[in-house]
Amino acid sequence: MSQTSYDSYRESVAGRADVEDTPELVAYYRELEQLKTGALWTVANKIEPWEPKSDSVPVLWRYRDLREHVLRSVSLVTPEKAGRRVIYLDNPGRRDVAAAVGWLYSGLQVMHPGEAASAHWHSSSALRFIMEGRGAYTIVDGHKMTLGANDFVLTPNGCWHEHGVEADGLPCIWQDGLDIPLVNALEAGFYGVHPDMHQAVTYPVDDSVGLWGGRALRPHDVKWDKPYSPLFKYQWEPTYEALLSYGKVAEGNPFDCLLMHYTNPKTGGHVMSTMGASMQMLRPGFVGKAHRHTGSFLYQVAKGSGYSIINGQRFDWQEHDIFCVPSWAWHEHVNASSTEDACLFSFNDLPVMEKLSLYYEEALAENDGHQPVISTPA
Ligand code: GTQ
């Protein structure tokens, strides 16, 4: 069926619930309610939408607005008291589940030199993208990692983890990304506190990078059968180099330009079971076309500046800004500079969408593939 005839078919509401209330029916519905039941035709159109309708709204969180507030929390609470000193991103459409978009949580965590947050584990998976500072580290199941700007780090579900900043470092801020809302929706949230508050570091520092960070090479003698990547840290420099190398031999695509996925070096698949992550480079002057797909996405600007149009709203972004693209929202990205590349880090729930066969995608056919801009938020 063509898009036009499909639209008119929809408008005719053929085959959809269309029952008008009568006093008799309303009385009947009340009786059903007493029995903890309901008539499907009263909710069918809502619970079976024609297409995904996200409750999340597109949001841009500007770092220049947030940074000062994040730093202020340092003088107000300690990591010991707060557990994790984090300002979370609260999507106005998802306040009930504390999600930044869809079923994904995100927050900005801040630590000062000499501070340490105690070890815990949970059944949610976590990731971090380092924004600023020096001397940050995280320990995951005894593997200690040093963290630099634009490094991407994993804390897969079930692993003990803790964070800190070395005494001779600088105040550090990073973005946390977790699947907390998803795990809660699935009613599978567990949480445990380490009996000793901190773990022993039982491997050489940054060993996962030494073992598994060799690009297309993998170590002969090391076994790995966990359902997540054995490489816990993806450093910025090799990531940026990979994008540059990719751009030398390929055009990229009309929506995302040069898009690369962080992968599990053992399988080539997503880094964790529930969340995937990517880095993309928009070439100088790149003007992307609009598409939409299922899956929720949180972007962080790793480099450069530009704008994205999301469901007709234009969001101008610069380095460290974070924005979300809800499931099935039209979106297109533009690099505002004609001389500098722009890089966008993003994480998503694609592993879930793909495993459940729920990934759908389409390009905007009209208007040469660009959305009319309806508004630009202040
Ligand atoms: O660092 O383990 O932003 O458990 C929220 C929940 C960070 C963490 C968050 C968490 C963490």
Side-chain angles (χ1 to χ4, degrees):
M1 200 181 288
S2 75
Q3 186 67 40
T4 334
S5 57
Y6 185 57
D7 286 345
S8 55
Y9 154 79
R10 280 177 177 192
E11 275 157 27
S12 75
V13 296
R16 297 294 280 192
D18 187 22
V19 180
E20 280 182 24
D21 281 354
T22 61
E24 201 183 359
L25 271 173
V26 170
Y28 173 59
Y29 296 154
R30 265 195 217 118
E31 282 170 39
L32 289 178
E33 226 175 277
Q34 295 298 316
L35 297 169
K36 299 185 177 62
T37 55
L40 174 63
W41 60 87
T42 63
V43 295
N45 295 351
K46 182 166 165 253
I47 67 170
E48 292 185 294
W50 293 109
E51 57 184 33
K53 280 205 187 344
S54 182
D55 287 329
S56 308
V57 295
V59 181
L60 169 72
W61 289 272
R62 288 192 189 89
Y63 196 55
R64 63 174 184 271
D65 298 336
L66 286 186
R67 184 174 181 275
E68 178 195 324
H69 289 88
V70 170
L71 289 171
R72 197 139 66 87
S73 69
V74 174
S75 60
L76 297 171
V77 289
T78 61
E80 288 80 24
K81 285 267 185 203
R84 296 288 186 261
R85 192 169 48 210
V86 178
I87 304 307
Y88 71 97
L89 308 180
D90 200 17
N91 191 298
R94 300 294 281 156
R95 292 226 151 107
D96 49 340
V97 292
V101 63
W103 295 107
L104 298 174
Y105 158 100
S106 184
L108 298 186
Q109 188 159 172
V110 56
M111 296 200 82
H112 261 207
E115 288 185 330
S118 59
H120 68 203
W121 77 274
H122 33 67
S123 51
S124 286
S125 293
L127 54 84
R128 327 211 177 263
F129 191 76
I130 313 308
M131 301 175 76
E132 65 169 273
R134 209 186 58 215
Y137 64 85
T138 192
I139 309 172
V140 178
D141 271 353
H143 301 268
K144 181 172 179 175
M145 282 159 278
T146 55
L147 308 177
N150 285 1
D151 286 353
F152 164 58
V153 194
L154 307 185
T155 312
N157 52 3
C159 297
W160 290 112
H161 57 284
E162 63 191 274
H163 324 293
V165 175
E166 308 288 1
D168 60 356
L170 293 171
C172 291
I173 299 178
W174 60 83
Q175 181 185 8
D176 291 324
L178 290 96
D179 55 9
I180 292 172
L182 174 69
V183 172
N184 287 340
L186 297 172
E187 301 180 346
F190 292 92
Y191 190 101
V193 174
H194 199 281
D196 305 328
M197 300 304 275
H198 294 284
Q199 318 156 66
V201 176
T202 48
Y203 301 90
V205 171
D206 283 327
D207 70 315
S208 89
V209 177
L211 293 171
W212 295 98
R215 306 255 186 135
L217 298 164
R218 68 179 167 83
H220 173 70
D221 292 318
V222 187
K223 299 267 176 288
W224 186 263
D225 54 12
K226 304 242 168 83
Y228 47 81
S229 170
L231 179 60
F232 287 173
K233 179 171 77 165
Y234 299 75
Q235 293 175 159
W236 167 240
E237 291 77 13
T239 304
Y240 187 65
E241 272 169 35
L243 287 162
L244 287 175
S245 305
Y246 180 26
K248 283 191 189 131
V249 296
E251 264 307 298
N253 85 45
F255 312 109
D256 289 303
C257 204
L258 301 161
L259 172 64
M260 299 188 95
H261 305 304
Y262 293 99
T263 52
N264 175 337
K266 185 86 194 292
T267 63
H270 292 294
V271 289
M272 294 188 287
S273 307
T274 53
M275 289 188 293
S278 310
M279 182 72 83
Q280 70 195 82
M281 177 183 280
L282 309 181
R283 295 178 197 275
F286 174 78
V287 178
K289 295 209 171 193
H291 71 160
R292 62 179 175 179
H293 43 72
T294 49
S296 302
F297 285 69
L298 266 169
Y299 289 85
Q300 177 173 154
V301 183
K303 182 173 184 289
S305 59
Y307 64 88
S308 298
I309 303 168
I310 308 167
N311 275 351
Q313 275 188 290
R314 174 173 160 157
F315 297 93
D316 286 80
W317 39 254
Q318 49 185 264
E319 203 176 306
H320 299 319
D321 287 352
I322 297 171
F323 61 93
C324 68
V325 175
S327 186
W328 210 235
W330 292 111
H331 57 283
E332 57 196 273
H333 307 300
V334 174
N335 179 353
S337 167
S338 55
T339 52
E340 298 286 318
D341 57 60
C343 294
L344 299 175
F345 166 79
S346 60
F347 70 93
N348 58 62
D349 55 6
L350 284 184
V352 177
M353 305 313 276
E354 289 169 4
K355 260 178 253 161
L356 302 184
S357 311
L358 292 172
Y359 185 75
Y360 293 77
E361 181 177 8
E362 76 179 8
L364 184 66
E366 302 88 45
N367 202 26
D368 195 30
H370 295 289
Q371 307 158 76
V373 177
I374 302 161
S375 67
T376 305

